Amino acid sequence: MALPVRLHYTIRMKYVVILFLVFIIYSLGSAAYFMLKDNGSSQRMVRALTVRVALSVTLFLLLMAGIHFGFITGKL
C-alpha cells in the first residue's frame, strides 16, 4: 500500500528538521569549544556562531515555506 504524497513530504521534512537541529547543536558546541580553547579571542568562535544563526534562520524559513505550500500539516 503506497503512502499519500503529502505523507512522504511530511516524513522527509521530519528528517530535514532533525538534520538541521543536529547541525545547529554541533555548531553551538564547536563555538563553545573554540571559546574555551582560544579564550574568546578567535574568529573561529564567531564563524561557528554565524553558521548557527544562518542554519536557524534557514530552518525557520524552510518551516514557513513548508507550512505555506502544504508540505507540513498538523504536527511535524
Side-chain angles (χ1 to χ4, degrees), residues 6-72:
R6 297 274 185 210
L7 189 58
H8 282 295
Y9 286 128
T10 303
I11 292 171
R12 287 181 187 162
M13 286 298 288
K14 284 182 183 181
Y15 289 125
V16 169
V17 168
I18 290 170
L19 188 65
F20 264 87
L21 290 175
V22 167
F23 283 137
I24 289 169
I25 291 171
Y26 174 77
S27 179
L28 187 61
S30 65
Y33 173 77
F34 292 140
M35 182 181 68
L36 294 174
K37 184 177 180 213
D38 300 336
N39 294 325
S41 61
S42 171
Q43 286 295 100
R44 296 189 296 179
M45 180 185 70
V46 174
R47 242 182 267 126
L49 290 174
T50 303
V51 167
R52 185 190 66 84
V53 168
L55 285 171
S56 298
V57 169
T58 304
L59 178 61
F60 177 75
L61 293 175
L62 185 67
L63 288 172
M64 292 299 108
I67 290 170
H68 177 73
F69 292 114
F71 297 140
I72 300 173

